[in-house]
Amino acid sequence: MNLTRRRFAQLGIGTGLALSAGRVWAQGVSTHTAKSLPRPKASGRPFNAHFVDIAEAAGLHAPVIYGEAYRKKYILESTGCGCAFIDYDNDGWMDIFVLSGTRLEGAPPGTTNRLYKNNRDGTFTDVTEKAGLHFEGWACGVCIGDFNNDGFDDIFCTCYGQNILYRNNGDGTFTDVTKAAGLWTDQQRWGAGCTFVDYDRDGHLDLFVSNYVRFSIDKAPVPGQNSSCSWKGIPVECGPRGLATGKHSLYRNNGDGTFTDVSEHAGINRATLSYGMTVVAADFDEDGWPDIYVACDSTPSLLFMNNHDGTFREEGVLRGAALSEDGMEQAGMGLGIGDYDLDGHLDIFKTHFADDANILFHNDGKANFEDATTSSRIAVETRYVCWGAGIVDLDNDGDPDLFMVTGHVYPEIEQKIPQYPNKTPRAVFRNLGHGIFEELI
């Protein structure tokens, strides 16, 4: 009998699967692998897009610091950070906000998150200090939204330690209002993904935050210390398996500049424990209410369906969006959301670890997902550790393409196993139509 993941859940097999998966959590990163598909002959069709790195010429020349470049002692140093486009001064030109981390021994001089103002001539000016956005620490994710409905976009940053809410003052400056807004916590957390979403449709943007692992440098194991601290027999940073999972949070906007943690009431706390990474909010079942999807590392990904009454039900496994086609957890990293086959429904593109295929979930319009990874031919690529992703029409031919950035988390590995280099290229899968993609090499 051929059992789909959805049928697994309906038969109650999914519960046993989750329990058996829990017994191998001490193995570090997800061990799921997928043999790459043979590459078909190139289509020969022209790709009418060409990209040139102009960051230096545009003034985006400050390095992003995130731990040591060629060795990582802790998982804290390996995840990297995000960035966002934001028209912070409402001049009609998109500016750029770039996050940064630090180093265990302290940040090099000049290390900070950076806000770059668009000069309207192809260049940018660093206005970080003037804007009041100087920061030293482990920033991770960022989301943009006007949480107080004053007409100016605000910034929320997830971090290891304390997340930060910056209120846009409307004069080119920002103020840290984390405590005043009720988003400060005495408990140290590792915020990873975030999204502003009006989940209750009251006209005020609420906030969902995924948390990765519960981590303390003082108590963290070191490379090679136990079974969660090696990869292919080589000592590496430990985790995420073997470390305690994070706890995700939903904050309701009270409409007065403050938020209330409603994670328990909304049903978020009842979800399967997971290592949360990227988060997106979208109306996957097209009922007019936003749902929330969380890509999770080495644990089942989560799909929170909106009940229209301020609560959610988590149905990732039931709806086919939590696991691989063979029913296993994967190292969920980045997410791209879009209608890749132009059938009017939002699909999901999720990136994973090396030796595993990134996954493409096809949505039937009712938030039931089928794995299209093999049929779409994106399973030809399994070489890279993959991160940020997008579904976007890069060549303006009307068919959305797939894009992702890559890079290893274990820089020490390439010295002993050269086929796993530390620095790896960005990847593009051009859309050939009819649900088929072709990787551009």
Side-chain angles (χ1 to χ4, degrees):
M1 180 173 61
N2 184 21
L3 290 178
T4 65
R5 287 163 298 170
R6 191 170 301 112
R7 186 60 177 150
F8 253 44
Q10 292 169 344
L11 292 173
I13 301 175
T15 303
L17 178 66
L19 291 174
S20 65
R23 289 193 288 269
V24 298
W25 276 8
Q27 296 182 19
V29 74
S30 169
T31 55
H32 185 267
T33 60
K35 185 177 180 180
S36 60
L37 295 179
R39 293 181 183 273
K41 182 180 179 180
S43 68
R45 289 169 50 177
F47 184 69
N48 296 316
H50 182 67
F51 296 90
V52 177
D53 184 351
I54 61 168
E56 182 71 25
L60 307 176
H61 46 69
V64 173
I65 304 298
Y66 225 89
E68 294 294 336
Y70 297 104
R71 63 181 178 89
K72 307 290 184 182
K73 185 176 182 181
Y74 300 116
I75 192 173
L76 179 62
E77 304 174 81
S78 68
T79 58
C81 51
C83 63
F85 285 100
I86 171 176
D87 182 9
Y88 79 97
D89 51 2
N90 284 0
D91 66 351
W93 294 75
M94 296 304 296
D95 313 296
I96 301 176
F97 186 62
V98 181
L99 302 186
S100 184
T102 182
R103 289 186 176 143
L104 296 175
E105 68 275 14
T111 301
T112 178
N113 296 339
R114 295 183 186 275
L115 178 64
Y116 292 98
K117 176 176 171 55
N118 193 324
N119 298 325
R120 312 183 190 186
D121 60 1
T123 68
F124 293 81
T125 297
D126 186 338
V127 295
T128 307
E129 300 296 333
K130 179 181 178 181
L133 292 172
H134 183 87
F135 169 84
E136 290 184 11
W138 300 96
C140 192
V142 57
C143 50
I144 306 297
D146 181 8
F147 82 92
N148 57 357
N149 290 346
D150 66 351
F152 289 88
D153 281 340
D154 310 295
I155 300 173
F156 183 80
C157 294
T158 61
C159 306
Y160 169 69
Q162 291 291 336
N163 301 322
I164 307 173
L165 176 63
Y166 292 107
R167 184 190 65 213
N168 191 329
N169 298 320
D171 60 1
T173 68
F174 291 80
T175 299
D176 181 345
V177 295
T178 311
K179 288 186 177 180
L183 294 173
W184 181 272
T185 174
D186 292 332
Q187 178 185 3
Q188 180 169 264
R189 288 186 175 184
W190 185 342
C194 62
T195 183
F196 282 107
V197 53
D198 184 8
Y199 77 93
D200 53 2
R201 304 198 313 186
D202 66 352
H204 303 287
L205 287 177
D206 312 298
L207 179 65
F208 186 97
V209 179
S210 67
N211 290 281
Y212 188 37
V213 302
R214 281 179 278 170
F215 176 85
S216 170
I217 291 178
D218 296 336
K219 300 178 181 179
V222 296
Q225 183 170 327
N226 58 51
S227 60
S228 70
C229 309
S230 67
W231 193 66
K232 297 189 179 297
I234 299 174
V236 296
E237 75 218 24
C238 308
R241 287 174 171 169
L243 302 175
T245 54
K247 190 176 181 180
H248 313 312
S249 301
L250 178 63
Y251 300 97
R252 184 182 186 277
N253 191 327
N254 299 320
D256 59 1
T258 68
F259 292 81
T260 298
D261 188 336
V262 294
S263 309
E264 181 65 34
H265 169 75
I268 304 303
N269 287 350
R270 292 192 289 274
T272 303
L273 296 177
S274 60
Y275 302 113
M277 295 289 280
T278 307
V279 179
V280 294
D283 183 8
F284 289 110
D285 60 355
E286 301 168 18
D287 64 354
W289 294 76
D291 311 300
I292 299 171
Y293 185 77
V294 186
C296 297
D297 186 3
S298 304
T299 49
S301 292
L302 305 173
L303 178 57
F304 292 99
M305 302 303 299
N306 197 319
N307 291 326
H308 312 173
D309 60 0
T311 68
F312 291 83
R313 62 193 187 279
E314 200 288 301
E315 297 183 341
V317 172
L318 179 65
R319 293 179 176 272
L323 304 166
S324 66
E325 183 63 25
D326 53 0
M328 299 298 292
E329 299 106 336
Q330 296 174 281
M333 306 285 200
L335 290 172
I337 304 297
D339 180 12
Y340 77 88
D341 59 349
L342 304 180
D343 66 353
H345 311 307
L346 290 176
D347 310 302
I348 298 174
F349 176 49
K350 181 159 63 79
T351 59
H352 297 134
F353 210 77
D355 292 336
D356 196 4
N358 302 300
I359 202 163
L360 185 62
F361 289 124
H362 179 263
N363 185 358
D364 70 354
K366 298 180 181 180
N368 299 309
F369 293 87
E370 294 295 335
D371 190 334
T373 306
T374 298
S375 63
S376 67
R377 299 181 186 171
I378 68 169
V380 300
E381 183 56 80
T382 62
R383 294 173 293 177
Y384 308 132
V385 177
C386 303
W387 298 91
I391 301 179
V392 58
D393 184 6
L394 297 174
D395 58 350
N396 291 333
D397 67 350
D399 291 311
D401 309 297
L402 306 180
F403 171 81
M404 61 185 179
V405 295
T406 75
H408 220 291
V409 298
Y410 307 138
E412 307 92 338
I413 288 289
E414 69 175 345
Q415 298 178 8
K416 297 183 178 180
I417 314 179
Q419 62 266 38
Y420 296 103
N422 181 33
K423 296 182 179 181
T424 50
R426 293 157 292 279
V428 171
F429 285 87
R430 57 96 55 86
N431 195 327
L432 297 175
H434 307 291
I436 303 298
F437 290 86
E438 175 182 50
E439 186 176 14
L440 301 180
I441 303 297

